Amino acid sequence: MGKQRIMIVEDEPAIAELLAYRLEKEGYDVVSAATGTEAITNRHAHQPDLMLLDVMLPDMSGFDLCRFASQHNWNIPIIMLTAKSDIVDKLLGIELGADDYITKPFDVREVAVRIKAVFRRIDQAKGHSSRSDGMQKIAVNGQIEIVKEQRSVIKNGEKIELKNKEFDLLLFFAEHKSIVFTRSQLLDQVWGYSFAGDTRTVDIHVQRLRRKLDNDKELSLIETVFGVGYRMP
């Protein structure tokens, strides 16, 4: 199996070089882009497994690039890097599909740990069990099928495109049906203890799953348990 590849999208050479040096020592293959346009142009050729994305780029914002990646189904985890610590900016990044958020100045060791945590959560979500056809499938409410190894969701025969964290959250609920989880528990279990966001992140992802997967607004795929959190019935 080849090295996992990280694309660093950062216009400050000193920061990009420091990150690249550390990540290469961690065993990753590293490619860099100084602008959003360069990242878009080179993404197909490099096929990165994860993107470190600076919010402040010279030609577009990291938010714009994150939105572009989501709209074009890049389906790679994104960790945003920013000098801003405002919770509104963090929530915007998560809403647009980012998997994690690190505020500058940061310790490069923390970045490496966050990257490992993202890859570990993806591996855990894929699962290691299999059926005779080589794929573990989970049926939900008679209409939806989750294929863990492919990280795909099929609804009434049609594939539904989900972002990484949307899939992780849906899978977690499907594997723990009828159990009520608080928002803090969901943050710990799905995003990981090192995630820098707050519990509104959970609400945003539940709302997006409902928009994409619910037909009956009266009978939601994920129920709100008022005063506690959420569950999948």
Side-chain angles (χ1 to χ4, degrees), residues 105-146:
F106 50 75
D107 189 317
V108 290
R109 293 172 296 182
E110 178 189 1
V111 177
V113 168
R114 296 287 190 94
I115 290 172
K116 289 179 181 178
V118 169
F119 283 139
R120 184 167 58 249
R121 291 196 294 268
I122 291 173
D123 288 341
Q124 289 172 347
K126 288 179 180 177
H128 300 290
S129 58
S130 62
R131 306 189 322 174
S132 58
D133 61 359
M135 296 289 177
Q136 183 183 16
K137 301 174 184 177
I138 302 174
V140 179
N141 76 1
Q143 297 180 341
I144 296 168
E145 185 177 72
I146 303 171

Side-chain angles (χ1 to χ4, degrees), residues 33-45:
T35 66
T37 302
E38 186 180 351
I40 293 170
T41 301
N42 295 336
R43 177 255 166 184
H44 182 72

Side-chain angles (χ1 to χ4, degrees), residues 83-166:
K84 297 181 179 181
S85 59
D86 194 320
I87 188 62
V88 174
D89 291 310
K90 293 183 179 182
L91 291 176
L92 177 58
I94 299 302
E95 170 68 18
L96 293 173
D99 291 80
D100 205 346
Y101 203 104
I102 301 175
T103 304
K104 298 178 181 177
F106 50 75
D107 189 317
V108 290
R109 293 172 296 182
E110 178 189 1
V111 177
V113 168
R114 296 287 190 94
I115 290 172
K116 289 179 181 178
V118 169
F119 283 139
R120 184 167 58 249
R121 291 196 294 268
I122 291 173
D123 288 341
Q124 289 172 347
K126 288 179 180 177
H128 300 290
S129 58
S130 62
R131 306 189 322 174
S132 58
D133 61 359
M135 296 289 177
Q136 183 183 16
K137 301 174 184 177
I138 302 174
V140 179
N141 76 1
Q143 297 180 341
I144 296 168
E145 185 177 72
I146 303 171
V147 186
K148 290 181 65 172
E149 286 79 5
Q150 294 180 343
R151 291 182 64 81
S152 64
V153 175
I154 309 298
K155 178 180 178 181
N156 296 328
E158 178 183 353
K159 185 175 181 180
I160 305 298
E161 295 294 339
L162 298 182
K163 297 174 182 176
N164 284 314
K165 274 294 166 284
E166 292 170 358

